[in-house]
């Protein structure tokens, strides 16, 4: 799938609250550092992982399911296998009537679930990472993913 930079930037600009499904408590796992990065960029990250429900991650209580989240979210970011996507999309569509985006991480795709969400007016991004796209589109990475020459120890 190809997505325009304009479309991706629009999504990342309008999004404020993100449910990260499948987030890990382990700081070396991609789901952890993507969630951490997004929270440091000003997004409110709501961690979702049934194994860690009730624990605290990045200052937020981990929810066991999307339906445990009070209030809405703008985006559901999915860090699960592709075959696990349909019930996540079903729950997201049922629980968040104003949901704007379902974002499937690198390696995660499900055409039927995407079509279902799109039929409800939800934008779907597949096989991409919002952290990488944010860095690329907002000047933190060059096209090839290489550093811009700015040295920083901050994430």
């Amino acid at each position: 799938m190809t997505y325009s930079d304009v479309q991706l930037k629009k999504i990342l600009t309008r999004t404020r609250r993100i449910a990260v499904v499948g987030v890990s408590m382990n700081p070396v796992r991609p789901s952890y550092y993507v969630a951490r990065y997004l929270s440091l960029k000003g997004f409110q990250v709501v961690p979702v992982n049934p194994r860690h429900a009730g624990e605290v991650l990045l200052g937020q209580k981990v929810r066991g399911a999307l339906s445990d989240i009070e209030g809405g979210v703008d985006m559901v970011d999915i860090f699960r296998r592709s075959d696990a996507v349909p019930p996540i999309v079903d729950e997201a569509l049922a629980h968040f009537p104003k949901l704007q985006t379902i974002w499937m991480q690198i390696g995660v795709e499900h055409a039927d679930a995407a079509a279902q969400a799109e039929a409800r007016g939800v934008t779907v991004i597949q096989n991409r990472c919002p952290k990488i796209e944010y860095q690329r589109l907002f000047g933190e990475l060059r096209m090839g993913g290489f550093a811009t020459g700015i040295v920083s120890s901050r994430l």
Side-chain angles (χ1 to χ4, degrees):
M1 268 145 253
T2 58
Y3 306 101
S4 74
D5 288 352
V6 170
Q7 179 187 23
L8 295 172
K9 198 168 192 175
K10 179 181 175 185
I11 292 166
L12 294 169
T13 301
R14 75 181 181 205
T15 299
R16 293 287 111 232
R17 192 169 192 226
I18 304 171
V20 180
V21 178
V23 70
S24 175
M25 302 292 279
N26 183 341
V28 300
R29 301 286 301 165
S31 61
Y32 175 92
Y33 61 77
V34 167
R36 180 174 183 266
Y37 176 86
L38 293 172
S39 71
L40 290 171
K41 290 298 172 185
F43 296 97
Q44 183 186 3
V45 172
V46 182
V48 180
N49 187 324
R51 288 187 208 149
H52 301 289
E55 296 179 48
V56 175
L57 179 68
L58 307 171
Q60 296 287 325
K61 183 173 91 170
V62 178
R63 305 319 199 283
L66 290 171
S67 57
D68 295 335
I69 298 173
E70 294 179 15
V73 297
D74 302 311
M75 177 192 293
V76 173
D77 183 14
I78 303 174
F79 272 98
R80 297 288 315 278
R81 294 181 327 271
S82 295
D83 61 356
V85 167
I88 295 167
V89 170
D90 289 343
E91 185 179 17
L93 294 175
H95 192 66
F96 304 118
K98 295 182 180 178
L99 181 66
Q100 297 174 346
T101 308
I102 291 185
W103 194 301
M104 300 179 212
Q105 281 292 333
I106 294 173
V108 182
E109 296 178 274
H110 198 287
D112 292 341
Q116 178 188 0
E118 288 169 342
R120 290 273 301 273
V122 176
T123 302
V124 178
I125 304 297
Q126 299 182 75
N127 195 30
R128 295 283 184 107
C129 176
K131 174 187 179 290
I132 292 170
E133 297 303 329
Y134 187 95
Q135 289 175 314
R136 184 177 67 80
L137 294 167
F138 293 91
E140 294 182 23
L141 291 178
R142 296 215 188 277
M143 282 296 287
F146 297 100
T148 60
I150 299 170
V151 178
S152 171
S153 61
R154 295 180 299 133
L155 280 179

